[in-house]
Amino acid sequence: MLYYAFKYIVLVPLLRWPMRPKVEGLRHVPRGGAAIIAGNHLSFCDSFLVPVAIRRRITYMCKMEYFTGRGVKGRLTAAFFRGVGQIPVDRSGKDAAQAAVDTGVRVLAGGGLLGIYPEGTRSHDGRLYKGKAGVAAMALRSGAPVIPCAMIGTFEAQARGQRLPRRVPVTIRFGAPLDFSRYANMPDRREVLRAVTDEIMYAIRKLSEQEYVDTYAAEAKARTDTRTPARSGLVSSPGPETS
């Protein structure tokens, strides 16, 4: 109930009416049952535009810091992210990455729609980066189809460090579901996880028409910003970033 109240009272007036995003391929998003929406990540507003675009509730996993802030601002931030369906995950190490995968699988086991960003963080330059294998692990363990999603124009609408989005053309494009049932008996094989992840990234690239870079986004970002340490691990970034 709180999710839909936030969606129609806060998100729709804040994003749909001013930005008027164009939605393509909505027929590919199933009306019920477990599924993963795997998309590129260009802007802080990505995780809020997708819920506006689809009727179903979608759950993004969000970094723990959004839920642990102090004071009035911290409590309001936590309430907001809970209200829009985000769940906190700790991404501080290898064990935390596995815990995030487990959390995603539980959402899918309950028939939920899970949103995830395989790149692991927002693109700092608008290009598409190598995907992490968390999305593949969730897909193989749950058996859920993966719907590729491309956000187009959100980098220009709200680039890194920009507080409020600008009114520029934005398109949300969904592709046909990807079925990985052929790998159902191989959920832990590293080469299978890599192949599945690369197939998902290729589908996203076709939809977004971005330039692809065969390195992890966090590593590329760290090279251009010495203040930002590179992150590594299995799990993708499922929800909004601030870095």
Side-chain angles (χ1 to χ4, degrees), residues 5-27:
F6 264 90
K7 175 177 177 176
Y8 291 108
I9 296 175
V10 178
L11 293 185
V12 169
L14 186 64
L15 296 175
R16 178 186 284 176
W17 296 337
M19 300 182 74
R20 298 180 181 178
K22 179 182 179 182
V23 183
E24 298 177 357
L26 191 58
R27 66 188 183 279

Side-chain angles (χ1 to χ4, degrees), residues 46-191:
D46 292 341
S47 298
F48 308 120
L49 280 169
V50 173
V52 166
I54 64 178
R55 294 181 180 179
R56 285 187 66 182
R57 173 174 179 153
I58 182 171
T59 297
Y60 283 96
M61 291 183 292
C62 188
K63 63 183 182 179
M64 185 69 72
E65 289 83 349
Y66 284 121
F67 297 84
T68 57
R70 297 182 178 181
V72 175
K73 181 179 179 181
R75 289 193 294 271
L76 289 174
T77 299
F80 175 79
F81 281 100
R82 288 193 180 94
V84 294
Q86 313 289 349
I87 54 178
V89 293
D90 181 1
R91 302 181 303 162
S92 58
K94 182 178 179 180
D95 292 340
Q98 187 57 57
V101 171
D102 294 340
T103 300
V105 171
R106 284 196 295 272
V107 172
L108 296 166
L113 184 63
L114 181 71
I116 189 168
Y117 300 117
E119 291 170 274
T121 187
R122 278 183 288 168
S123 173
H124 65 288
D125 58 7
R127 297 186 293 177
L128 184 70
Y129 286 86
K130 185 176 181 179
K132 294 187 177 182
V135 62
M138 294 178 196
L140 298 188
R141 285 180 53 185
S142 68
V146 178
I147 296 95
C149 174
M151 308 299 294
I152 301 169
T154 57
F155 184 80
E156 292 75 16
Q158 190 179 22
R160 181 184 179 192
Q162 184 177 327
R163 288 187 174 273
L164 296 175
R166 296 187 296 117
R167 191 169 181 174
V168 300
V170 168
T171 299
I172 306 169
R173 184 176 294 159
F174 299 100
L178 304 174
D179 177 18
F180 297 107
S181 58
R182 63 191 183 277
Y183 298 122
N185 296 324
M186 298 178 282
D188 300 318
R189 292 180 57 175
R190 186 178 297 273
E191 66 273 19

Side-chain angles (χ1 to χ4, degrees), residues 39-44 46-47 61 63 66 91 116-133 151 154-155 160 201 204 210 213 215-225 228-243:
N40 59 340
H41 197 12
L42 297 170
S43 170
F44 180 79
D46 292 341
S47 298
M61 291 183 292
K63 63 183 182 179
Y66 284 121
R91 302 181 303 162
I116 189 168
Y117 300 117
E119 291 170 274
T121 187
R122 278 183 288 168
S123 173
H124 65 288
D125 58 7
R127 297 186 293 177
L128 184 70
Y129 286 86
K130 185 176 181 179
K132 294 187 177 182
M151 308 299 294
T154 57
F155 184 80
R160 181 184 179 192
M201 297 310 296
I204 295 172
Q210 290 170 272
V213 183
T215 190
Y216 293 115
E219 295 174 357
K221 186 185 295 185
R223 287 196 291 267
T224 59
D225 185 356
T228 305
R231 294 174 180 170
S232 60
L234 175 68
V235 72
S236 314
S237 172
E241 286 281 339
T242 56
S243 58

